[in-house]
Amino acid sequence: MKVFRTFDTQLQHNLLILFAAGLLFWASLSSLLPTLPLYLENVGASKQQIGVVMGSFAIGMLVFRPWLGQLADKRSRKLVLLIGILVEAIAPIGYELVTSIPLLMVLRAFHGISIAAFATGYMALIADLAPPKHRGEIIGYMTLVNPIGLAIGPALGGYLQAMVDYTAVFLLAAGLGALGALCVVPIVNPPVQTYQPAEIQSTNFWRILISPRVRVPALVMLVVGLAVGTLHTFAPLFIKSTEVDLNVGLFYTVAAISSFSGRVFIGRASDRFGRGLFVTIGLILYSVSMALMWLANDSTTFLIAALIEGAGGGTLIPMISTMMADRSFPQERGRIFAVCIAGFDLGIAIAGPVLGSFAEQVGYRNMFGITAGLTALGILIFVTKSSKDLVTSIRFAFGRAQDAYALNKI
């Protein structure tokens, strides 16, 4: 944290209130993780319907993230942050009022706009504010809001659901979102540059997606989105079906604590050793975690899987974000983050309905076995395709070469 003392007062203030807003956002969002699938089951949804409703969250992300990325570049990061956290404050109230499955799908898609807006604006603003030589370290610290929020939110949500009712959980989520919106208001947004170098004249979603610097990270994020979507949608139901004596909120809390621990050191290490090595490590950890979920029959194995999954997320997500900051001009960062993370959104969107269908046929356990195979495929893709040719890709993926697509003009 010594690096923060070298910043001027305005930058320190911006980062501090941005951190507070992020913490409240993720605590609000994650407070529903252990409770919403159970709530859907309680109102009569089948396994596949639960998957469809939970996966509808990503529809809002997929549809709106490209537009929100453009808005962040052309108007301001702060505006996009505010949109995200206001949606987060409004959506939980809807769950209390709606029990129809089709309407819950629409509401869940609306809720997805929150993360599309907030995550895009948050990462673009941090990349703008962070000095390039400390970018990995600052992003590592600032993304701690995710695991800390994921540690606090599910524990509070699970406790309130058990001790009070679902209404209390929904009110908690809405209240945390409203507090986060108050934090966003005083943030000072640096002016967004409007000059567009020739390299970034195109704003077309598909042209950005197929560009060499974006397509492989986006594909990796698709695989990770499948794993995360499966875990967040079906872990509570899988644990319940095994009759293992484990509070599902504890599962998410362990994952969050693990994610927190890694981010403190990995960001700084990536400034020295490169991003590729840590992306590879993150993918390996996700694969091991999914394999353990496939094998789990007791609370200890479930918690070890959560521990490793948290370490995987704490390694991979900040490194992909930092790598995309390295590969983008300031004037296009909102769009680059939006397009790359759209792969993650798509993975979450199809994880629920597609893998929910598998769960109906082969059960939750074998569904996690399929997910383990998909994340292993993600390792193979990144190691062989992350740079301009096979040899350079392997070297970059194992920390032996620089990122060929990183830009000197940052």
Side-chain angles (χ1 to χ4, degrees), residues 195-342:
Y195 167 70
Q196 300 288 310
E199 298 95 318
I200 59 171
Q201 287 296 326
S202 175
T203 61
N204 182 274
F205 176 91
W206 297 107
R207 289 195 180 188
I208 295 173
L209 178 62
I210 64 173
S211 66
R213 56 191 171 136
V214 176
R215 61 178 177 241
V216 170
L219 189 55
V220 167
M221 291 299 280
L222 169 62
V223 170
V224 174
L226 285 167
V228 172
T230 302
L231 197 70
H232 287 181
T233 302
F234 296 111
L237 300 168
F238 178 37
I239 292 171
K240 180 181 176 182
S241 72
T242 62
E243 299 183 352
V244 169
D245 184 18
L246 175 64
N247 182 331
V248 179
L250 181 61
F251 177 91
Y252 290 111
T253 299
V254 167
I257 292 171
S258 175
S259 178
F260 172 89
S261 303
R263 291 177 199 233
V264 174
F265 308 104
I266 288 165
R268 185 188 303 174
S270 77
D271 287 331
R272 181 177 177 184
F273 299 109
R275 323 301 185 195
L277 173 64
F278 297 99
V279 173
T280 303
I281 291 171
L283 286 167
I284 291 170
L285 291 171
Y286 266 115
S287 295
V288 172
S289 173
M290 294 301 107
L292 284 174
M293 289 293 292
W294 177 39
L295 299 171
N297 281 304
D298 55 68
S299 59
T300 301
T301 308
F302 277 119
L303 291 176
I304 292 172
L307 189 76
I308 296 173
E309 189 273 335
T315 303
L316 182 72
I317 305 301
M319 285 304 97
I320 291 283
S321 299
T322 308
M323 187 168 71
M324 299 322 296
D326 293 342
R327 293 181 174 192
S328 59
F329 291 92
Q331 303 94 315
E332 61 172 350
R333 280 200 182 117
R335 282 166 285 166
I336 292 293
F337 281 127
V339 172
C340 180
I341 299 172

Side-chain angles (χ1 to χ4, degrees), residues 91-276:
I93 301 299
Y95 297 122
E96 174 64 19
L97 303 175
V98 173
T99 56
S100 161
I101 298 301
L103 289 177
L104 283 167
M105 289 171 58
V106 174
L107 178 61
R108 191 68 178 153
F110 170 72
H111 201 173
I113 297 172
S114 66
I115 195 170
F118 192 88
T120 299
Y122 189 84
M123 291 307 306
L125 186 53
I126 293 170
D128 290 347
L129 295 172
K133 67 178 181 179
H134 296 297
R135 180 174 287 150
E137 184 176 3
I138 298 304
I139 288 178
Y141 288 141
M142 293 299 291
T143 56
L144 286 172
V145 296
N146 182 279
I148 296 174
L150 285 169
I152 296 169
L156 287 174
Y159 175 78
L160 282 177
Q161 187 272 325
M163 300 302 294
V164 189
D165 56 17
Y166 290 110
T167 300
V169 179
F170 300 145
L171 290 175
L172 169 74
L176 292 173
L179 286 174
L182 294 176
C183 289
V184 170
V185 172
I187 291 172
V188 178
N189 194 118
V192 179
Q193 299 182 48
T194 55
Y195 167 70
Q196 300 288 310
E199 298 95 318
I200 59 171
Q201 287 296 326
S202 175
T203 61
N204 182 274
F205 176 91
W206 297 107
R207 289 195 180 188
I208 295 173
L209 178 62
I210 64 173
S211 66
R213 56 191 171 136
V214 176
R215 61 178 177 241
V216 170
L219 189 55
V220 167
M221 291 299 280
L222 169 62
V223 170
V224 174
L226 285 167
V228 172
T230 302
L231 197 70
H232 287 181
T233 302
F234 296 111
L237 300 168
F238 178 37
I239 292 171
K240 180 181 176 182
S241 72
T242 62
E243 299 183 352
V244 169
D245 184 18
L246 175 64
N247 182 331
V248 179
L250 181 61
F251 177 91
Y252 290 111
T253 299
V254 167
I257 292 171
S258 175
S259 178
F260 172 89
S261 303
R263 291 177 199 233
V264 174
F265 308 104
I266 288 165
R268 185 188 303 174
S270 77
D271 287 331
R272 181 177 177 184
F273 299 109
R275 323 301 185 195

Side-chain angles (χ1 to χ4, degrees), residues 389-407:
D389 55 59
L390 178 61
V391 173
T392 311
S393 294
I394 293 171
R395 287 176 55 80
F396 172 61
F398 289 101
R400 308 301 298 175
Q402 293 184 340
D403 187 356
Y405 296 117
L407 303 175

